[in-house]
Amino acid sequence: MIRFSERVPETIRFERGRLAFLDQRKLPAEVHYWQIDTLDDAIEAIRTLAVRGAPAIGIAAAYALALSVRDVPAERRTAVLHAHAERLKGSRPTAVNLAAAVDRLLAMQTHEPELLLAEAERLHAEDRSMCARIGQFGMPLIRPDANVLTHCNAGALAVSALGTATAPLYLAHRAGRKFHVWVDETRPLLQGARLTAWELATAGIDVTLICDHVPASLMAAGRIDLVIVGTDRVARNGDTANKIGTLGLAVLAQHFKVPFYVACPATTYDPDTPEGSSIIIETRGADEVLGTQAAAVNVYNPAFDVTPVNLITGFITDQGLITAPDQDRLLRTFRRQ
Ligand code: MRU
């Protein structure tokens, strides 16, 4: 059993009936837990990215949903549960994990609060073991002295335990392998600069932070050997939504013949979404881009983009490595579980 022993604080805590999220908006300056007392707190935390990352928002929503019906009389519980589920699902649209986690609780035969909470805990535990398996399958890709590029944060903070894109890095580091990671700062909310760089550096991994427009020149100079990113939703055919900027990296990687991998737990594969064009892309507020410095002009701020499957060298999944990915391989891999 692999334990996450690096000193990165846990994203979601559920202890003695109380739920708290590590407030990622305050990182890395402050490690602060937001105690989630109501459904509104949870929705606000997800919307504002206090808790973020596809698997983490699924787990967060599952706990919040279960807790939200704790004091609701049995005869009204299922109706209230469905209403709360709809509100949670509306909080962020792109990551499939959120809707899938909520639906998993709705689909249970009985909606007893203790059973719902136990299911949320099971989801959390499954997530930890999926990360460990992604790490094991992905670790051989991290060759000695490799220069790896990652984008946004698909790390421990976005998931639980080892993260997804970061899991192969953590395991290679623990095995004593020397390598180096380039981390895109990831405008506008700086998940790379604030979260990934901090997480990896805290674990003792050799990290260099770069602006989002630097990878082209690094690839041209042969200074990136491998790209690994996470994902918010993989459509049935393999088209992959992830943080805005991922598509540009995949195009560059193909041009410069750099392998481009997506770390994907089973919970992020969505066979009900046929292809990338069907994925809803969240657009966020102008304030995130304007800050206090820019002129007050129109802003377009999509949070994600879609990378077509033909630009993806492989998926590092909890069920194994899928190279030359296509719909058949993805369906076969994820149905085997
Ligand atoms: O807007 P965010 O910070 O929630 O976006 C997160 C990402 O794009 C991650 O890469 C993705 O959720 C995978 S996390 C394992």
Side-chain angles (χ1 to χ4, degrees):
M1 153 109 175
I2 293 169
R3 281 177 305 106
F4 186 64
S5 57
E6 281 80 13
R7 285 157 293 162
V8 178
E10 261 186 309
T11 295
I12 297 169
R13 277 188 185 159
F14 181 65
E15 283 162 5
R16 291 185 220 95
R18 287 187 175 274
L19 180 64
F21 301 155
L22 176 64
D23 190 341
Q24 299 193 31
R25 298 166 304 179
K26 297 183 194 287
L27 289 174
E30 199 187 326
V31 173
H32 169 80
Y33 281 87
W34 177 354
Q35 187 170 313
I36 302 298
D37 293 322
T38 63
L39 185 74
D40 285 341
D41 284 350
I43 290 172
E44 169 84 356
I46 293 170
R47 265 209 195 108
T48 59
L49 273 62
V51 62
R52 47 146 301 281
I57 59 177
I59 298 163
Y63 279 120
L65 183 61
L67 287 172
S68 75
V69 292
R70 212 164 22 177
D71 300 323
V72 176
E75 65 277 12
R76 292 180 43 231
R77 198 173 295 132
T78 294
V80 171
L81 194 74
H82 277 267
H84 289 180
E86 281 316 301
R87 291 190 55 211
L88 277 163
K89 283 189 197 178
S91 57
R92 288 198 84 188
T94 302
V96 66
N97 306 61
L98 200 165
V102 163
D103 284 341
R104 176 163 156 178
L105 265 59
L106 293 181
M108 289 172 67
Q109 302 238 310
T110 127
H111 292 153
E112 289 294 326
E114 307 73 50
L115 297 181
L116 292 168
L117 276 170
E119 192 66 11
E121 287 185 300
R122 216 171 352 261
L123 190 79
H124 201 170
E126 284 169 16
D127 189 65
R128 287 193 191 96
S129 58
M130 276 191 286
C131 290
R133 289 199 298 274
I134 287 174
Q136 283 158 347
F137 288 121
M139 186 178 147
L141 298 171
I142 315 297
R143 301 266 157 73
D145 300 319
N147 282 291
V148 183
L149 171 70
T150 192
H151 187 64
C152 193
N153 175 262
L157 293 165
V159 201
S160 43
L162 300 166
T164 62
T166 52
L169 305 174
Y170 283 125
L171 293 196
H173 178 66
R174 279 187 204 167
R177 210 166 292 167
K178 293 262 175 295
F179 58 93
H180 165 255
V181 184
W182 300 104
V183 176
D184 276 349
E185 62 177 349
T186 318
R187 283 275 298 153
L189 294 181
L190 304 177
Q191 288 93 330
R194 292 187 302 106
L195 307 176
T196 306
W198 177 67
E199 232 197 85
L200 296 179
T202 299
I205 293 174
D206 182 15
V207 176
T208 304
L209 179 63
I210 50 175
C211 294
D212 293 329
H213 30 266
V214 174
S217 58
L218 285 175
M219 284 191 202
R223 298 179 66 192
I224 296 177
D225 302 306
L226 176 70
V227 182
I228 308 182
V229 295
T231 169
D232 288 82
R233 188 184 297 246
V234 176
R236 185 183 177 89
N237 72 342
D239 292 350
T240 291
N242 192 47
K243 180 53 57 192
I244 189 75
T246 303
L247 170 61
L249 294 177
V251 171
L252 285 174
Q254 187 177 65
H255 179 81
F256 290 110
K257 302 189 171 40
V258 173
F260 181 92
Y261 282 90
V262 175
C264 172
T267 45
T268 311
Y269 182 56
D270 178 15
D272 295 332
T273 293
E275 56 186 30
S277 60
S278 324
I279 299 175
I280 297 171
I281 299 296
E282 173 186 9
T283 40
R284 296 188 59 86
D287 51 324
E288 291 181 354
V289 178
L290 293 173
T292 51
Q293 320 245 315
V297 293
N298 291 333
V299 168
Y300 173 53
N301 182 19
F304 301 98
D305 57 26
V306 174
T307 299
V309 65
N310 65 299
L311 295 181
I312 298 171
T313 310
F315 287 91
I316 310 167
T317 84
D318 53 292
Q319 303 294 310
L321 201 62
I322 309 176
T323 48
D326 60 16
Q327 179 161 305
D328 287 350
R329 286 188 178 179
L330 283 159
L331 281 173
R332 250 185 286 129
T333 301
F334 287 117
R335 285 215 172 125
R336 220 171 35 209
Q337 329 166 47

